[in-house]
Amino acid sequence: MKMEVMNNRVEGLEPVLSAGSFELLQGIMYMKNAEKGSCLFWEGDKADKLFFIFSGRVRTTKTSDSGRALTLYLHQKGDLVGQMDPFNDSVHSFSAEVTHDAKVGVIQRKDLEVLLWQHGDLAVEFMKWMGMMHRLTQSKFRDLMLFGKTGALCSLLIRLSNSYGKQRDGGIYIDLKINNTEMADMIGATRESVNRMLSDMKKADVIEYADGHFTIKDLNYLRDVCHCENCPKEICRM
């Protein structure tokens, strides 16, 4: 199975991994079906596997001291999920929950280490992917820390549009059902504050919401609020 770009979206490993390198990775995978509601791993489990998503969706979460589960990433087809720490023993610092029935390829860390030793091109591309993931994490910290909850929410809407957006009737339709509570968990805010911010955006005719889906009508407004730095879509994503 080759990596694909669907609907002009950048999929997971596609920006950094060549077809030949992906074939090497696929050669050491074993397939696993994961049902909605199950977990690929829990926070604190031994980090000795990576999971490549062939289909379905996976959400990674971090549990706070108060017991609240904060959403870190929404992974989909083409993404590689797991602790990125080859050559060192570690444990997962987050959990991975399957939100839509998934088919994943499981990569044992010890098998990956052998491939990285044997194939220099793959090792370089894997390092590029790790760097891309670090940039993604840093950009999310920027959104959460520098421009308040409104800036974080505007950035979240932009990221959703890059990951799930479709052009429709002069706006960007987000083809992912999401509610205010889930959005609050993605930016570390309360549901009530998200309700208020979204209501203000609706009044300003920036967004629409119907049947569980958002449509962005004024993308520039969102970019101005969160001081968008025009990051590439492989960084500005969920």
Side-chain angles (χ1 to χ4, degrees):
M1 184 180 296
K2 296 181 179 179
M3 287 180 291
E4 299 174 347
V5 178
M6 299 175 61
N7 299 323
N8 297 319
R9 298 176 188 156
V10 177
E11 299 287 339
L13 290 175
E14 191 271 338
V16 295
L17 205 65
S18 67
S21 293
F22 180 71
E23 288 179 3
L24 290 173
L25 282 181
Q26 193 172 5
I28 62 171
M29 295 179 190
Y30 65 87
M31 303 308 298
K32 175 181 178 179
N33 293 316
E35 295 182 352
K36 177 180 178 180
S38 64
C39 276
L40 298 180
F41 53 82
W42 294 94
E43 187 175 342
D45 284 353
K46 186 176 180 181
D48 58 356
K49 300 180 185 67
L50 294 174
F51 300 85
F52 181 83
I53 303 175
F54 284 98
S55 64
R57 291 175 181 166
V58 175
R59 173 176 61 196
T60 53
T61 60
K62 177 75 175 177
T63 304
S64 68
D65 291 339
S66 64
R68 181 179 182 183
L70 301 174
T71 300
L72 302 178
Y73 302 103
L74 299 180
H75 296 282
Q76 56 183 319
K77 177 182 177 181
D79 283 335
L80 192 62
V81 183
Q83 195 89 8
M84 287 43 100
D85 195 17
F87 308 112
N88 288 291
D89 293 328
S90 61
V91 297
H92 286 292
S93 57
F94 50 87
S95 301
E97 176 191 355
V98 179
T99 58
H100 293 71
D101 288 349
K103 181 179 180 181
V104 299
V106 184
I107 302 173
Q108 298 278 359
R109 196 191 75 185
K110 63 180 188 300
D111 295 331
L112 175 62
E113 290 174 356
V114 172
L115 274 188
L116 295 179
W117 279 114
Q118 293 177 338
H119 301 276
D121 290 347
L122 173 61
V124 170
E125 291 172 359
F126 191 80
M127 288 173 61
K128 288 180 180 178
W129 173 72
M130 291 177 67
M132 184 178 74
M133 294 302 295
H134 285 307
R135 283 187 64 195
L136 175 56
T137 301
Q138 289 169 356
S139 70
K140 288 198 171 188
F141 282 147
R142 168 195 175 275
D143 296 339
L144 293 173
M145 297 177 66
L146 294 184
F147 303 110
K149 297 304 181 186
T150 303
L153 181 60
C154 289
S155 176
L156 172 61
L157 289 167
I158 294 172
R159 291 176 185 275
L160 287 169
S161 73
N162 287 335
S163 295
Y164 304 100
K166 297 179 180 178
Q167 291 292 334
R168 179 181 294 182
D169 298 329
I172 303 174
Y173 176 80
I174 298 175
D175 189 22
L176 174 73
K177 277 197 171 185
I178 187 168
N179 59 45
N180 295 3
T181 301
E182 291 169 330
M183 297 182 78
D185 288 339
M186 292 176 186
I187 63 172
T190 63
R191 180 177 58 83
E192 291 77 15
S193 64
V194 169
N195 290 346
R196 184 175 61 254
M197 290 185 287
L198 290 175
S199 178
D200 290 341
M201 292 182 199
K202 292 173 188 175
K203 291 177 182 177
D205 203 31
V206 175
I207 60 172
E208 288 181 352
Y209 185 76
D211 299 324
H213 295 274
F214 284 94
T215 298
I216 298 174
K217 302 175 68 176
D218 190 348
L219 187 61
N220 288 329
Y221 175 95
L222 301 179
R223 287 175 170 168
D224 288 342
V225 172
C226 70
H227 299 260
C228 177
E229 296 179 351
N230 294 313
C231 298
K233 288 189 175 183
E234 59 264 28
I235 302 300
C236 186
R237 52 152 291 182
M238 291 306 299

